[in-house]
Amino acid sequence: MSIIGQYAELKVAKIVDFGVFLEGEDEALILLPNQYVPPKTQIDDTIKVFIYRDSEDRIIATTLKPKATVGEFAVLKVKSVTNVGAFLDWGLAKDLLVPFSEQRDKMQVDLSYLVYIYLDNATGRIVATAKIERILRENEVSYQEGDEVEILVGKRSELGFQVLIHDDALGMVYKNEIFGHLKIGDKRKAYIKKVRRDGKIDVSLQQQGYAKEVPKSGQQILDLLKEEEGFLPLNDKSTPEDIYYTLKMSKKNFKKAIGLLYKQKLITIEDTGIFLVQ
């Protein structure tokens, strides 16, 4: 059934004690259990549902919204590990399986991983893979240095963070270019720093030209904000003298730094000064 793993708007065909049956493809009936049936539902009503298989492999509907659907990437947390693989929390009653064969490294409970969700043609089950490179290897991308992109932060390594770029390529944000808080699962605006000859992509959280002086200044501001209980009586209207007295930096670098911190939603800028976002 092609709608497994997707949303569908289906018509109510039959009402029973334990739920309603919806008319799916080829007039097949799909159960929507009672706990998900909207109040006052009648025959011929149309309900938007997500279609998947329950723990007994029956095709079933739900009005719950999974964190991602078939054909999408997501960062999901491991709830349990069994002899068949790792099970991820994706927002539904039945957890999402990542078989051992689809794990890059052995997954651990309570850790989060970047995965791709797909329909296993052999079994008809919805599963996930952490082997993202295999999913993306056929993609043709043409990023240029300086391009603004959307990223999803994946796994952390000694070099920094691997990130998914626009759902079609992988890149790396190096740890010595990160200031402020960055964690697995974050979605951010970023910039292509360099496309290497081997196709690997370096990504920066700052526009180029800011990367040398601003990260250091930004981290200095964040550190002082934490020491001062989340507030500094400085903003872009403060005098160069006040800024230098407090931070020992130029007003130019201060304005660049707080601008980037604001864009990254790490601070707010008010008339009285800057506040650390808790």
Side-chain angles (χ1 to χ4, degrees):
M1 184 174 288
S2 62
I3 58 175
I4 294 177
Q6 304 293 341
Y7 291 102
E9 294 188 358
L10 302 181
K11 185 179 292 187
V12 176
K14 185 178 181 182
I15 298 177
V16 294
D17 291 341
F18 47 88
V20 302
F21 282 99
L22 307 174
E23 187 174 317
E25 296 175 323
D26 300 326
E27 299 183 354
L29 296 182
I30 301 172
L31 175 64
L32 177 65
N34 260 334
Q35 62 264 43
Y36 307 123
V37 177
K40 300 180 180 179
T41 294
Q42 303 293 324
I43 296 290
D44 290 335
D45 285 355
T46 298
I47 304 175
K48 184 176 181 179
V49 292
F50 180 77
I51 309 298
Y52 72 118
R53 290 183 182 272
D54 66 11
S55 57
E56 297 181 19
D57 267 351
R58 297 171 299 190
I59 298 175
I60 198 165
T62 179
T63 52
L64 295 176
K65 294 183 178 180
K67 296 175 182 178
T69 64
V70 166
E72 294 181 340
F73 296 89
V75 172
L76 302 174
K77 181 181 287 188
V78 177
K79 288 183 65 176
S80 63
V81 176
T82 72
N83 59 352
V84 296
F87 287 88
L88 311 181
D89 176 10
W90 68 321
L92 299 184
K94 182 184 178 183
D95 298 326
L96 181 65
L97 172 66
V98 183
F100 287 118
S101 61
E102 296 298 330
Q103 299 177 26
R104 286 181 53 86
D105 305 302
K106 188 175 180 180
M107 290 183 165
Q108 300 179 45
V109 173
D110 289 336
L111 295 185
S112 296
Y113 299 86
L114 174 64
V115 297
Y116 176 77
I117 301 172
Y118 68 99
L119 191 64
D120 184 349
N121 292 329
T123 64
R125 298 172 183 170
I126 302 171
V127 292
T129 179
K131 296 182 177 180
I132 305 301
E133 291 88 348
R134 188 187 69 205
I135 302 300
L136 300 176
R137 64 187 174 191
E138 301 300 326
N139 289 354
E140 294 185 10
V141 296
S142 56
Y143 292 115
Q144 303 293 321
E145 293 181 11
D147 285 352
E148 183 179 303
V149 294
E150 294 291 331
I151 62 170
L152 173 61
V153 180
K155 66 178 183 178
R156 187 172 189 169
S157 70
E158 293 181 357
L159 295 176
F161 286 91
Q162 185 184 66
V163 297
L164 178 67
I165 307 168
H166 281 321
D167 287 355
D168 61 14
L170 289 173
M172 176 66 69
V173 177
Y174 292 95
K175 63 181 181 181
N176 63 339
E177 297 180 0
I178 298 171
F179 68 103
H181 187 59
L182 190 67
K183 67 181 187 300
I184 295 171
D186 280 354
K187 293 182 179 181
R188 291 283 188 90
K189 179 189 297 183
Y191 303 89
I192 302 299
K193 181 180 179 183
K194 186 175 183 179
V195 180
R196 299 178 180 272
R197 290 183 179 179
D198 60 4
K200 294 182 179 179
I201 302 173
D202 296 346
V203 178
S204 174
L205 299 178
Q206 300 86 36
Q207 285 180 293
Q208 297 311 294
Y210 284 56
K212 292 184 179 179
E213 74 267 22
V214 174
K216 182 178 178 181
S217 300
Q219 189 61 58
Q220 183 182 345
I221 292 169
L222 288 175
D223 290 343
L224 189 56
L225 277 167
K226 293 173 185 177
E227 293 175 10
E228 298 298 328
E229 298 183 345
F231 173 73
L232 286 177
L234 299 171
N235 57 28
D236 54 1
K237 295 182 176 62
S238 299
T239 66
E241 292 78 13
D242 286 342
I243 293 169
Y244 188 79
Y245 177 81
T246 305
L247 295 164
K248 299 297 185 291
M249 72 176 63
S250 69
K251 183 171 182 177
K252 179 181 178 181
N253 280 353
F254 172 78
K255 289 177 68 176
K256 288 180 179 179
I258 65 171
L260 285 174
L261 293 174
Y262 177 78
K263 288 180 180 178
Q264 294 181 338
K265 299 182 180 180
L266 297 173
I267 65 168
T268 59
I269 304 172
E270 311 290 348
D271 290 339
T272 54
I274 56 177
F275 294 81
L276 184 65
V277 173
Q278 299 301 322

